[in-house]
Amino acid sequence: MKQVPETKVKLTDVKDLMEKGYDLLGELREDVGAPVVKAKFLTEEITAIYGEAAARQFYDPANFKREGAMPKPVLKTLFGEGGVQTLDGEAHHHRKHYFMDLMTPERMDDYHDILARHLTAALDRQHGEFELFELANKVLFTAICEWAGINLDTYDAETVDKLAENQIAMISGAVTSPIDHLKGIKDRNKSEKWAKDLIEEARKHPVPGKENYALYTFANATDLDGELLPVDVAAVELLNIIRPTVALTVWMALMGHALFAGEDIYKELQADFDRLQDPFIQEMRRFYPFFPMLPAVAVRDVEVDGYVIPEDSWVVLDLYGTNHDARTIDAPDEFRIDRYAGRAEEISYEEQYEMIAQGGGSFRDMHRCAGEWITLHSMRAFSDQLVNKYSFKVPEQDWTIPMDQFPTYPNSKALLFKE
């Protein structure tokens, strides 16, 4: 086995490298001409891996752990402290089951119906020019709250809009400018306060028949010793249902790009919608940038692509790079609407490592996102209504998707016009 090649990042190069954004890890690999690279900056070291084979190694708990891997800025804004993403072993399995038990086929059908109803109402109200990003943000938030058992009727419209915006701010504040990071922390604190109040109220006044709703599931969730989760941890887990769903706002704006920045994809999808809807969605998840990378710590020496990664190394799996890996994907930088034709269901229900937009491995036992099926239903509802139920004109706009922005989406936030 070979040692991992190193590249040293000079202080003067940092700005240029950060501007590479989602392509950063690919640039580092090119610098050393290897699929595994160690980057050294001042006193910090990071080893970057990518690809389907690397993902298999990365998600093996005998090789890597999540405890202590997530940078503090990400915990402070995106995931929250004490959440399922930071756990390993039995503690992770126990906590993850609460999430997966919410994702039954019946409850997924409920979510789809709720979202479709909210989306129809929102689009019916639109007349003139609007941002698909802004509309999706509000619709996804109100829909997931209803599905989770959260009653938003007690809040005024301004408060609901702010709560919805806070979910996006938590994501934007994870890897961004210091100002946006501070805003992300502030909005994270506001969201956790809101979620804590909901958990406390649910514990005081449980509602019979809603035990399988997310709010009441986490209000009653226990740790390995059978003790109720602390209120702040239960609140973090409730937000781990709400926030990732609202984060799909980004993908809905990117869907606007796929469908309306040009005409070919829209026409192909409309002409054969039933056959191509799910392949279109899976190709969207592969092609467009979403979450850039995931961190872990090596618990032993691990071989990846012929290189040995020493125990205790801080390692990141390049999700975007894996989904654009020319070693295993034909023409990865082309959007092919029928790439997953006949295999779309397999990609999200059976296949574990081929396409890892939301992580890989087993849903119940590993750190794959529990919300992947919510993602599919969300994108089905939006694609159906955007293509089949309404007609839009497309204003002139800046469709550029900046690769140095996280999360990224068209600069115009996907402008549409409806009579």
Side-chain angles (χ1 to χ4, degrees):
M1 292 188 291
K2 295 173 283 188
Q3 287 189 330
V4 176
E6 296 183 9
T7 181
K8 292 185 178 180
V9 179
K10 299 177 183 177
L11 188 60
T12 53
D13 295 336
V14 171
K15 184 176 184 295
D16 289 341
L17 279 173
M18 292 307 293
E19 288 177 352
K20 301 294 182 181
Y22 287 87
D23 293 320
L24 168 61
L25 298 182
E27 290 280 333
L28 296 178
R29 289 193 295 270
E30 285 188 16
D31 284 347
V32 299
V36 183
V37 59
K38 180 192 290 184
K40 301 183 74 173
F41 174 65
L42 299 178
T43 61
E44 299 295 326
E45 291 185 357
I46 182 172
T47 300
I49 61 177
Y50 85 118
E52 184 176 341
R56 292 180 183 277
Q57 295 284 62
F58 184 83
Y59 281 96
D60 185 343
N63 294 330
F64 294 98
K65 67 177 182 177
R66 299 301 183 273
E67 182 183 2
M70 198 67 69
K72 277 287 184 182
V74 179
L75 289 177
K76 290 289 187 183
T77 56
L78 186 57
F79 292 128
E81 301 196 51
V84 65
Q85 299 93 341
T86 67
L87 304 177
D88 292 295
E90 285 303 312
H92 174 260
H93 295 163
H94 178 79
R95 189 80 60 82
K96 186 70 175 286
H97 281 301
Y98 285 113
F99 287 86
M100 295 311 303
D101 287 347
L102 293 169
M103 308 299 167
T104 64
E106 295 77 17
R107 291 294 284 136
M108 289 296 91
D109 288 344
D110 290 343
Y111 172 74
H112 189 111
D113 292 344
I114 291 168
L115 177 60
R117 171 165 45 82
H118 281 267
L119 180 55
T120 297
L123 286 171
D124 283 347
R125 289 192 297 267
Q126 291 298 328
H127 297 288
E129 188 174 285
F130 67 96
E131 291 178 357
L132 184 56
F133 183 98
E134 182 181 358
L135 180 140
N137 180 221
K138 295 176 182 178
V139 166
L140 287 164
F141 179 70
T142 54
I144 193 61
C145 283
E146 180 178 336
W147 181 81
I150 299 169
N151 181 12
L152 293 178
D153 291 341
T154 58
Y155 303 94
D156 59 46
E158 183 179 351
T159 300
V160 171
D161 287 349
K162 183 58 182 172
L163 286 168
E165 292 168 5
N166 287 349
Q167 310 309 304
I168 294 294
M170 286 191 278
I171 303 162
S172 301
V175 185
T176 187
S177 70
I179 292 175
D180 285 342
H181 178 61
L182 290 174
K183 183 179 185 305
I185 293 176
K186 182 179 178 181
D187 289 342
R188 172 94 212 178
N189 291 338
K190 290 179 180 177
S191 294
E192 287 194 2
K193 171 65 168 61
W194 170 65
K196 287 177 188 177
D197 290 344
L198 291 171
I199 292 292
E200 289 175 341
E201 179 66 19
R203 286 180 176 179
K204 291 177 183 176
H205 304 288
V207 178
K210 290 198 172 184
E211 293 82 6
N212 64 339
Y213 284 60
L215 172 57
Y216 299 95
T217 289
F218 292 114
N220 295 314
T222 62
D223 59 20
L224 286 174
D225 296 323
E227 298 293 330
L228 281 177
L229 294 179
V231 171
D232 57 341
V233 174
V236 164
E237 302 299 29
L238 178 59
L239 290 177
N240 276 333
I241 292 288
I242 305 298
R243 184 204 65 257
T245 303
V246 181
L248 301 179
T249 297
V250 171
W251 254 330
M252 302 318 162
L254 293 169
M255 184 181 291
H257 180 276
L259 293 174
F260 300 112
E263 296 182 356
D264 292 347
I265 294 174
Y266 180 94
K267 289 179 178 178
E268 284 185 74
L269 182 58
Q270 187 181 50
D272 198 1
F273 190 82
D274 289 345
R275 184 178 75 89
L276 290 178
Q277 183 189 27
D278 278 0
F280 163 73
I281 289 168
Q282 297 292 26
E283 178 69 343
M284 266 206 63
R285 296 175 61 240
R286 183 202 70 81
F287 179 80
Y288 286 102
F290 189 58
F291 205 82
M293 64 190 80
L294 290 172
V297 175
V299 297
R300 64 179 181 180
D301 291 356
V302 182
E303 180 184 355
V304 175
D305 288 327
Y307 295 86
V308 60
I309 298 175
E311 181 180 353
D312 295 328
S313 296
W314 188 41
V315 177
V316 295
L317 174 64
D318 181 357
L319 300 184
Y320 180 73
T322 297
N323 290 333
H324 287 258
D325 185 359
R327 298 174 301 175
T328 56
I329 302 171
D330 184 40
D333 294 329
E334 293 180 15
F335 189 104
R336 295 181 176 176
I337 193 172
D338 60 351
R339 185 185 298 273
Y340 295 107
R343 299 187 58 233
E345 183 175 350
E346 174 189 343
I347 291 297
S348 282
Y349 292 87
E350 298 175 24
E351 176 56 48
Q352 297 186 7
Y353 303 102
E354 181 178 339
M355 200 269 282
I356 56 170
Q358 290 171 274
S362 164
F363 280 105
R364 283 192 174 269
D365 299 328
M366 297 183 184
H367 285 265
R368 187 169 181 169
C369 178
E372 185 167 333
W373 300 335
I374 285 180
T375 299
L376 297 180
H377 281 281
S378 299
M379 297 179 82
R380 285 169 183 155
F382 270 80
S383 58
D384 180 33
Q385 300 211 20
L386 291 175
V387 173
N388 297 323
K389 305 293 176 63
Y390 297 90
S391 295
F392 305 97
K393 294 179 182 178
V394 184
E396 186 175 341
Q397 60 192 282
D398 181 3
W399 282 112
T400 304
I401 300 171
M403 295 297 284
D404 62 347
Q405 171 183 297
F406 172 75
T408 194
Y409 40 82
N411 282 335
S412 62
K413 296 187 176 181
L415 290 174
L416 298 176
F417 181 95
K418 176 176 167 287
E419 296 288 353

